Amino acid sequence: MQNIRTERASKLPRGLILAIATLLTLGNGLIYMWSIFNVPLMDAFGYSASGVALAYSLFMLMSCVGSFLGGWMQQHIQPRYVILIAGVLFSCGWLLSGSAESLPLLYLFFGGLAGIGNGLSYNALLSVATTWFPDKRGFANGVCTCGAGMGPVVFAPLGNILIESFDVLMAFRIVGIAWLVIYLVFTWFLVMPAPGWKPSNWDPDDQTTSSAVSSGRNYSGREILRQPLFYILFFILMVAVTSGQMINGHASSLGQELAHLSAAEGALMVSLLGVGSVLGRLGFGAVSDKIGRFTTLILILGVNAVIMLLFLAHATTFITFLACMMIVGGCFGGTMNVMPATVGDSFGSKFFGQNWSFVYPGYTVAAFIGPMVAASTTEATGSWEGAMIIAGVLSLLGIVLVLIGKRLAKRLAQAG
C-alpha cells in the first residue's frame, strides 16, 4: 500500500492538538440537534414526519459510507487533509440545506453531503488524537469524543435560538457558514507526529492494559478482516450501542410514562443523557488506561445490565429516573470511547483510521435497530418493560462477547 507523505511534527503541545481535535468533533455532535428542525421543516413546507426523518436516516447511512472512505483516504494522504475535505463537504451540506425547498434536495445536501463529511471527519479526528497519546489512548479518545457527546447540550438551545430568531432555512445557512470557517482555520494545526515519535519518559513495554498488542505490530484493514477478533469487536460495539440506543431514542417518552414527567422535563432528560455521555467518555476512558479496555467494557456492560433489568422499571420519580438516565448515558459514552481505544490497542496505531472505519458500522447498525426494536416492542406489549429486558439481555450478551474478545486479543498479542 502506498505510504502517505511524512510531515514535520507539530511544534504545538500535544494537549493543544487534542483540544483542537475536540473542538472539531463538536461538529459531529450537530446531528443531535436534528430533532429541533423536524417540526419547523414540516410547518414550513408541509413535509410528513417520515419524510423529514428519512433525511436523518440518510445522514447516518452516508456517515457510515464516509467512515469507510475516510479510512481508505488516510492511507494515502495526511489525516488533516481528510479532515479539511470532510469539513468542506459537511459545512456545504448544512449551508446548501438552507436552500433546499424540496425533500429530494434536503436528502442530497443534508443526508448526502453533510453525512459523508461527518463520517470522513470523525475517524480522522480520532486518529490524530490517539496517535499523539499512545500512552493515554483511553484518555485521548474520551476527551476527543466529548465534542460529539456535548452535541445535545450545546447545540439544541443554540439551534432553537437560530430558528426562532430567523427561520429554519436561515438556521441551516448560519450553521454551515460558521463550521466552514472553523474547519478552514483549525484543520491546519492537526499534524501527525513524526515516525517513531513517542512521549518522553514513556516505555511501551511498561503498558499493563490487557488489550494491548505487546508486539507493537500494526495490522492493516485487509489483515484484520482475517482476524476473528475484528468480528467480535464489531458485534461488541453493535450489541452495546443497540442497548443504549433503545433508551436514548425514547428517553423523553419513557420518562413521561414511568416517572410522569412533563414534556419539558422529558426534553431535559435528553440533554442530561448527553451530560452523562460526556462524563462516561472521560471517566471510563481514564479507567480503561488503568485496568484495561476489556475489563472496562465488562464493567460498563455489567452496570448497564443492572440498570435495565433491576432499576429502570422502578424509576418512578424525577430523581430516580434522572439517576438511571445519567448512568445509561455514561455507559453509552464509555462504550463509544473505549471501543476505538480497544481497536487501536489490538491492531496498532498505524492503520487505526481504516481499522476503526471497519468496526464503526456496528454503531450505524445499532442506530437503526435500537430505536426500532424499542418502539415495536412497546407497541406490541403496551409497556416499556419488554424493551428494558431486551436491553439488559443484550448487555449480558455483550459481556460474553467481551470475554471472548479478551482471550482473542491475548492470543493475537502473543502471535505478534
Side-chain angles (χ1 to χ4, degrees):
M1 180 176 291
Q2 179 183 353
N3 292 324
I4 59 176
R5 187 180 64 181
T6 301
E7 294 185 330
R8 289 182 298 172
S10 173
K11 295 181 181 179
L12 296 175
R14 61 176 181 158
L16 182 56
I17 294 175
L18 177 59
I20 292 172
T22 303
L23 168 65
L24 294 181
T25 58
L26 270 170
N28 300 110
L30 281 169
I31 186 59
Y32 294 116
M33 73 171 184
W34 174 251
S35 61
I36 68 174
F37 283 78
N38 288 347
V39 174
L41 282 170
M42 289 187 286
D43 290 342
F45 300 104
Y47 299 149
S48 66
S50 59
V52 174
L54 182 57
Y56 173 86
S57 298
L58 288 173
F59 182 98
M60 298 302 296
L61 177 62
M62 297 311 293
S63 289
C64 183
V65 174
S67 175
F68 276 114
L69 182 58
W72 174 81
M73 290 174 65
Q74 286 181 64
Q75 307 311 311
H76 299 274
I77 60 176
Q78 286 287 332
R80 67 170 174 171
Y81 297 118
V82 177
I83 296 167
L84 180 62
I85 294 169
V88 171
L89 291 173
F90 178 78
S91 303
C92 287
W94 279 86
L95 177 60
L96 292 172
S97 294
S99 302
E101 297 187 3
S102 68
L103 282 176
L105 288 178
L106 185 65
Y107 298 155
L108 174 63
F109 296 141
F110 184 79
L113 286 182
I116 288 179
N118 184 74
L120 279 174
S121 67
Y122 187 69
N123 289 345
L125 287 166
L126 285 183
S127 180
V128 173
T130 56
T131 302
W132 277 105
F133 286 84
D135 53 332
K136 299 177 181 178
R137 198 188 305 272
F139 165 79
N141 267 294
V143 172
C144 191
T145 60
C146 274
M150 285 295 291
V153 181
V154 175
F155 293 123
L158 290 179
N160 272 322
I161 291 173
L162 290 177
I163 293 172
E164 291 175 358
S165 300
F166 303 98
D167 58 51
V168 65
L169 293 184
M170 183 56 70
F172 274 117
R173 294 173 193 147
I174 293 172
V175 170
I177 292 172
W179 277 96
L180 182 60
V181 173
I182 291 172
Y183 271 103
L184 290 177
V185 171
F186 289 101
T187 297
W188 300 105
F189 299 101
L190 298 178
V191 178
M192 297 289 274
W197 173 88
K198 65 178 182 179
S200 59
N201 302 319
W202 177 66
D203 183 357
D205 294 334
D206 289 339
Q207 292 231 238
T208 59
T209 53
S210 60
S211 59
V213 179
S214 58
S215 66
R217 180 180 172 185
N218 292 288
Y219 291 81
S220 69
R222 182 177 299 178
E223 289 176 320
I224 70 169
L225 292 177
R226 297 194 292 266
Q227 299 295 333
L229 177 60
F230 160 74
Y231 299 97
I232 291 296
L233 292 178
F234 179 93
F235 283 111
I236 290 173
L237 178 62
M238 186 182 73
V239 167
V241 177
T242 296
S243 174
Q245 291 281 28
M246 290 177 69
I247 302 302
N248 291 353
H250 302 279
S252 179
S253 301
L254 185 60
Q256 292 177 56
E257 178 178 320
L258 286 180
H260 307 292
L261 305 182
S262 66
E265 290 173 330
L268 175 63
M269 289 299 163
V270 178
S271 293
L272 292 175
L273 270 171
V275 174
S277 176
V278 169
L279 296 175
R281 291 168 198 260
L282 291 172
F284 284 119
V287 168
S288 74
D289 285 332
K290 299 295 184 181
I291 68 174
R293 316 296 180 205
F294 290 103
T295 303
T296 304
L297 285 170
I298 291 172
L299 175 62
I300 291 171
L301 290 163
V303 170
N304 199 61
V306 170
I307 292 296
M308 296 297 177
L309 295 175
L310 300 179
F311 290 101
L312 187 54
H314 305 289
T316 56
T317 66
F318 180 88
I319 296 299
T320 56
F321 189 78
L322 168 62
C324 286
M325 287 297 98
M326 291 287 285
I327 295 172
V328 169
C331 291
F332 177 81
T335 300
M336 294 307 297
N337 169 24
V338 177
M339 284 303 301
T342 305
V343 171
D345 284 348
S346 299
F347 301 122
S349 299
K350 183 176 180 180
F351 304 105
F352 169 79
Q354 184 180 49
N355 294 342
W356 175 238
S357 75
F358 285 177
V359 177
Y360 182 76
Y363 171 85
T364 305
V365 173
F368 279 92
I369 294 177
M372 291 175 60
V373 169
S376 60
T377 302
T378 303
E379 289 174 359
T381 63
S383 169
W384 287 97
E385 186 174 353
M388 296 176 206
I389 293 174
I390 293 174
V393 171
L394 284 174
S395 294
L396 295 177
L397 174 60
I399 292 175
V400 175
L401 292 173
V402 171
L403 292 172
I404 296 172
K406 185 175 183 178
R407 175 168 296 187
L408 290 174
K410 288 182 177 179
R411 187 181 304 170
L412 186 64
Q414 293 170 356

